[in-house]
Amino acid sequence: MMKNTLTKIFILFILISGLQACDVEEFSDLNNPEVDAFRDNLTRGDLQDLVGGVLYSMRVSLGTYYDDLGVIGREYWRFSSSDPRFTADLLGKENAVLDNNTFYITNPWAARYRTVKNVNLILEFIEVQDVSAQFSDSEISATKGFLKTVKAHELLLNLNLTYQNGVRVEASDENNLGPFLGYDAALTAIRALLDEAAGDLQNGGDSYPFTLTSGFSGFNTPGSFLEANKAIAARVAAYQEDFPAVLDYLEDSFLTLDASMLDEGIYYNFSADQTDILNPLFFPVEATTAGARIVQPDFVSDAEDGDERLSKVAQRSEPLTFDFLTGDYAVFRYTSNIDAIPIIRNEELILLYAEANIYQNPSEAVEALNLIRNSAGLDDYDGDSPEVSLIDEMLMQRRYSLFAEGHRWLDVRRYDRLDELPTDREGDDVFEQFPIPLTEN
């Protein structure tokens, strides 16, 4: 079973390695089933294998994606003696520019669209044949709802990188790709896809016709996963500055105003199995310049006394220096190479709830922020309540609660505060967005 699963996943990767794909060649090897076989006769076992391929491809190039956001967002520096572009290009060293044909954009961009293409293929397999003998109507609806949610999330990750340069939302036909949509239009389309997926999940019955990984524990039925769908939609609505909608989505999400439930959510999970993927964000504390993530010093010095979230960094036995950057602390958000990485979790939802209520109900925003502060060992917020002061506090709490989870750069960008990020060397710059990859031109 494992061999057949990996074979099918591999075939999908080969067929969809880029959006500008060549015509599919026929396979004569009977051990390598053709895509047409899925299109003509999709079985329950096939669907399980293909969804497994989606869950696998969602994790490809995640390390590069998070390094893009973490380095430009000045959460940490990524030291790599074999590729100094992490500390040159991404930090804007000496008037460097972001290259549109380099791994830091081409790899995560292609990986996310590979997942989108996987989803589109499975949806096509369901649509073009009569699968009623294999699946009930509710199972088909549940499958569509799960896959469309994944697709929306993958598109959002690429949009996070390219921002105003936009993304292609319509990519189901590689011979007739849709246009690039700018940031606002792309967010609208992504949110609409999430809403469409939510409708499918609501009609999805009690179970999926496939099994999800442990990263979806507690959210592995259509009804429970609908709460994750609403959580992601709340994040999108916040990016749109539609704060009433944020609160509406959160009401139907898994938001829990409970400090003991901060880590509740859905995750990318990893293992040391030879057929699986290791957590790409883990480096030992004493890692060398061959590969290390060193905390930007302001993260430690700006923290309030007693903030227990500083446990996400670890002091090295001695400082590490590379490319005229020196740091004493290593990123320790992930403490092993099999730790899970959040896709979205309750602590972010509480902070989204606080953010939305800054504009709707400031006293409720303070209560939510105090929940976060108290959970980190801090006293209640004692600052002013005007909007600007609460935004400052909310962004500070997001900075420490969501450290190394891919949010800091996006947060300061959406609040027009990129100029507040530190530059550690003369001539460094803070970039607003990545270019569209050259292969898309």
Side-chain angles (χ1 to χ4, degrees):
M1 174 65 74
M2 178 60 71
K3 181 178 180 181
N4 288 340
T5 298
L6 292 175
T7 298
K8 293 172 183 177
I9 293 171
F10 175 74
I11 289 168
L12 279 179
F13 278 163
I14 293 297
L15 294 180
I16 60 180
S17 59
L19 288 177
Q20 304 292 341
C22 300
D23 292 337
V24 174
E25 297 287 336
E26 291 190 355
F27 292 91
S28 58
D29 182 353
L30 295 180
N31 289 321
N32 293 336
E34 303 174 23
V35 167
D36 284 347
F38 296 127
R39 187 176 288 113
D40 296 339
N41 182 31
L42 182 70
T43 68
R44 295 182 79 88
D46 290 337
L47 182 60
Q48 177 67 66
D49 293 344
L50 295 173
V51 170
V54 167
L55 297 174
Y56 187 97
S57 64
M58 284 177 69
R59 298 174 297 161
V60 173
S61 291
L62 272 184
T64 305
Y65 170 80
Y66 283 109
D67 282 341
D68 285 346
L69 274 61
V71 173
I72 297 180
R74 268 50 177 194
E75 291 188 289
Y76 57 82
W77 305 312
R78 172 70 161 87
F79 288 176
S80 175
S81 54
S82 64
D83 202 326
R85 287 173 289 187
F86 283 114
T87 50
D89 291 20
L90 293 185
L91 293 176
K93 181 182 179 183
E94 297 175 352
N95 300 314
V97 296
L98 293 175
D99 192 336
N100 68 351
N101 195 31
T102 297
F103 75 93
Y104 48 65
I105 181 60
T106 58
N107 287 0
W109 177 272
R112 303 291 70 76
Y113 272 116
R114 191 172 296 121
T115 303
V116 168
K117 186 60 175 177
N118 278 346
V119 167
N120 287 337
L121 280 172
I122 300 171
L123 292 175
E124 178 193 349
F125 299 153
I126 293 171
E127 294 291 343
V128 300
Q129 59 183 286
D130 181 3
V131 294
S132 59
Q134 287 280 341
F135 307 98
S136 68
D137 289 345
S138 62
E139 287 177 325
I140 290 300
S141 186
T143 300
K144 289 180 178 179
F146 177 78
L147 293 173
K148 289 175 185 176
T149 301
V150 169
K151 177 179 176 179
H153 179 259
E154 298 292 280
L155 291 170
L156 181 63
L157 296 194
N158 270 354
L159 185 62
N160 286 342
L161 294 177
T162 54
Y163 190 41
Q164 299 294 350
N165 287 325
V167 294
R168 297 186 196 273
V169 173
E170 178 49 58
S172 57
D173 181 357
E174 63 266 24
N175 297 312
N176 187 27
L177 296 172
F180 274 88
L181 300 182
Y183 186 68
D184 292 341
L187 285 176
T188 297
I190 289 168
R191 180 170 157 185
L193 182 58
L194 286 167
D195 289 344
E196 182 180 329
D200 290 328
L201 290 167
Q202 287 170 338
N203 296 317
D206 297 327
S207 63
Y208 289 118
F210 47 81
T211 301
L212 294 174
T213 65
S214 60
F216 296 87
S217 178
F219 300 91
N220 52 11
T221 66
S224 57
F225 187 73
L226 175 60
E227 296 182 351
N229 167 286
K230 296 292 187 178
I232 296 169
R235 180 193 287 173
V236 174
Y239 291 176
Q240 293 178 301
E241 301 180 14
D242 186 353
F243 294 110
V246 172
L247 295 175
D248 288 343
Y249 282 124
L250 288 176
E251 185 174 355
D252 295 325
S253 75
F254 59 90
L255 168 68
T256 304
L257 296 173
D258 183 342
S260 69
M261 302 288 286
L262 297 184
D263 289 327
E264 183 79 6
I266 56 174
Y267 288 78
Y268 304 104
N269 63 305
F270 305 92
S271 79
D273 188 282
Q274 63 179 354
T275 62
D276 204 10
I277 296 175
L278 296 172
N279 181 323
L281 294 182
F282 170 74
F283 280 127
V285 172
E286 302 296 343
T288 69
T289 56
R293 293 182 177 88
I294 300 300
V295 178
Q296 202 284 336
D298 288 0
F299 181 79
V300 176
S301 62
D302 288 350
E304 291 187 52
D305 289 342
D307 194 330
E308 296 171 2
R309 291 168 294 188
L310 286 182
S311 63
K312 298 176 183 181
V313 307
Q315 189 165 16
R316 293 170 51 87
S317 60
E318 59 183 31
L320 190 64
T321 299
F322 180 76
D323 203 4
F324 302 102
L325 300 165
T326 299
D328 295 292
Y329 291 84
V331 173
F332 206 53
R333 170 63 179 85
Y334 307 100
T335 61
S336 81
N337 61 10
I338 59 172
D339 278 7
I341 296 174
I343 296 173
I344 193 164
R345 61 187 182 91
N346 189 47
E347 190 162 8
E348 180 188 349
L349 301 192
I350 295 172
L351 287 161
L352 286 172
Y353 180 78
E355 181 177 0
N357 272 303
I358 290 173
Y359 308 96
Q360 307 295 312
N361 185 351
S363 63
E364 187 68 16
V366 172
E367 288 297 317
L369 291 170
N370 283 339
L371 189 158
I372 295 296
R373 290 179 59 86
N374 297 162
S375 71
L378 301 177
D379 294 335
D380 285 353
Y381 172 70
D382 61 2
D384 296 330
S385 294
E387 186 175 291
V388 172
S389 297
L390 288 177
I391 290 171
D392 288 343
E393 173 66 12
M394 177 271 297
L395 290 175
M396 175 66 83
Q397 297 314 312
R398 286 182 64 91
R399 179 184 182 186
Y400 286 88
S401 285
L402 306 180
F403 175 72
E405 295 182 28
H407 295 278
R408 179 62 175 166
W409 182 43
L410 310 181
D411 288 343
V412 294
R413 184 175 68 189
R414 61 195 179 95
Y415 276 92
D416 296 321
R417 297 184 178 203
L418 288 172
D419 60 350
E420 295 181 9
L421 293 179
T423 52
D424 299 291
R425 301 167 302 196
E426 185 176 354
D428 281 3
D429 197 4
V430 177
F431 293 110
E432 182 181 50
Q433 61 195 10
F434 282 84
I436 297 297
L438 179 64
T439 52
E440 295 287 350
N441 297 326

